Amino acid sequence: MSATAVLDAALTAAPHIRVEPMTVHIGAEIHGIDLARPLSAAETTAVRAAVLRWKVVFFREQALDHSSHVRLAEQFGDPTPGHVVFGGDTKHPAIYSIAKFRKANNRVRQGLRVWSGWHADITAAINPPAFSILRGDIVPPYGGDTQWTNLAVAFEKLAPSLQRWLETLNGIHQFDPPGKVSGNAAYDEIVSKRTMISSHPMVTVHPETGEKVLYISPAFLRRIDGMASNESQPVLHMLWEHAVMPEFTVRFRWAPGSVAFWDNRATAHLAPRDIFDSDFDRQFYRVTLAGSVPTGIDGRASRAIEGEPIESLAQLA
């Protein structure tokens, strides 16, 4: 059954929920549901079906705090630590704070490309997160939009001959921890040891929808496995540019109480840069849900080169 048919059936069982698509290929707003209270089985099924169909869905005017944010996430999977490297909130370890730092104003902007900053979360791990749920707390009156792109459609729109070649390849995804980040020597020492490197199929099969996905997170993908950097970089540049074409993307304007829920296995997203050119504050919070090891179309699994799998908080307990 197609993702559209699954969603239609789920909405029949939850007729009070309204799903409004935002673009042809990705993104929908969901109305008629209060995320701060426990969801019914029909509501959970409908929201999950909408995420799988539209890749990212959005909710407005939701009154979530840390506790209800985590409870919401737990209805769709097992939360991970807020960030596999940097940790999470002391009281709510699944919560990761995403704030605006003034020092970002000093970032070097030379060399930015159209794909710069686009990423799927933590694809350098052998088992990247399946879903992410982000809520806006302090939201600028304008600016600070986030964008997502549909990597399943991006693959579908490639030439068949290129598709067949990419299906045979793996990509090396890598995360290199930054240097000193806190001034706390013990914490910085822990962070410095969290390098992660994995070899993932360039084309993965989505574990729930069966779609083929162009698995090319620009921020983490370093090179094509088995190729020298100078050989793989032109290919990667072409694929990254293709993957973020406007027709595959959606742009979301946040407001206080807005929530975004996306499928990390089939999308990449871009955090805003324009906020660093303003005096507005911006404070968001994210919870991620544990994922599985990606597989290619021939069933081959990703391979860990360095680093440990991401464990859920339940596994760490």
Side-chain angles (χ1 to χ4, degrees), residues 136-306:
D137 183 14
I138 299 174
V139 180
Y142 52 86
D145 298 354
T146 308
Q147 298 176 69
W148 285 262
T149 190
N150 184 336
L151 296 178
V153 167
F155 177 76
E156 178 187 328
K157 298 300 183 181
L158 291 172
S161 56
L162 181 54
Q163 290 177 341
R164 290 191 294 271
W165 180 55
L166 292 173
E167 289 170 351
T168 70
L169 303 176
N170 274 34
I172 303 297
H173 296 240
Q174 183 166 337
F175 173 81
D176 298 309
K180 295 180 180 180
V181 296
S182 70
N184 180 312
Y187 177 78
D188 287 343
E189 176 68 14
I190 292 171
V191 168
S192 71
K193 295 179 179 179
R194 295 308 301 266
T195 297
M196 291 179 287
I197 309 174
S198 296
S199 176
H200 295 302
M202 294 280 288
V203 181
T204 58
V205 176
H206 193 285
E208 295 189 67
T209 67
E211 294 171 293
K212 295 179 180 180
V213 176
L214 187 61
Y215 204 64
I216 55 164
S217 176
F220 293 109
L221 179 55
R222 297 290 189 267
R223 61 180 175 83
I224 297 173
D225 204 354
M227 296 174 63
S229 179
N230 65 317
E231 296 171 329
S232 66
Q233 284 306 303
V235 178
L236 294 182
H237 288 181
M238 178 271 293
L239 293 174
W240 291 334
E241 184 174 26
H242 167 78
V244 299
M245 291 179 67
E247 56 264 42
F248 306 152
T249 70
V250 65
R251 183 177 185 129
F252 184 64
R253 183 170 185 178
W254 294 89
S258 295
V259 174
F261 185 164
W262 69 91
D263 189 338
N264 197 57
R265 301 162 297 184
T267 63
H269 59 279
L270 178 66
R273 288 191 289 263
D274 62 341
I275 56 171
F276 302 114
D277 297 324
S278 78
D279 293 324
F280 303 132
D281 287 328
R282 188 176 188 268
Q283 176 66 65
F284 284 36
Y285 297 100
R286 187 193 70 195
V287 176
T288 57
L289 298 177
S292 57
V293 177
T295 59
I297 66 163
D298 56 1
R300 74 183 187 281
S302 299
R303 176 172 57 91
I305 298 174
E306 185 174 341

Side-chain angles (χ1 to χ4, degrees), residues 24-170:
V24 171
H25 294 302
I26 182 172
E29 286 199 15
I30 296 183
H31 305 275
I33 191 167
D34 180 2
L35 299 181
R37 62 170 180 77
L39 305 184
S40 68
E43 289 173 331
T44 302
T45 298
V47 170
R48 190 182 192 95
V51 175
L52 294 177
R53 167 63 181 88
W54 291 107
K55 306 301 185 277
V56 56
V57 298
F58 307 102
F59 305 84
R60 298 288 191 181
E61 299 179 347
Q62 299 294 322
L64 294 178
D65 57 16
H66 286 356
S67 295
S68 55
H69 190 171
V70 174
R71 286 197 300 269
L72 167 67
E74 289 173 337
Q75 295 172 86
F76 295 92
D78 297 322
T80 70
H83 193 286
V84 67
V85 174
F86 304 118
D89 182 81
T90 302
K91 185 177 179 181
H92 300 88
I95 295 287
Y96 182 58
S97 170
I98 300 174
K100 172 184 174 179
F101 294 100
R102 297 298 183 188
K103 65 183 181 181
N105 275 318
N106 299 320
R107 295 177 308 167
V108 176
R109 297 182 62 87
Q110 291 88 347
L112 288 179
R113 309 291 288 270
V114 67
W115 58 81
S116 296
W118 282 91
H119 64 286
D121 289 329
I122 320 295
T123 60
I126 184 62
N127 59 334
F131 300 104
S132 295
I133 303 176
L134 180 67
R135 82 179 199 265
D137 183 14
I138 299 174
V139 180
Y142 52 86
D145 298 354
T146 308
Q147 298 176 69
W148 285 262
T149 190
N150 184 336
L151 296 178
V153 167
F155 177 76
E156 178 187 328
K157 298 300 183 181
L158 291 172
S161 56
L162 181 54
Q163 290 177 341
R164 290 191 294 271
W165 180 55
L166 292 173
E167 289 170 351
T168 70
L169 303 176
N170 274 34

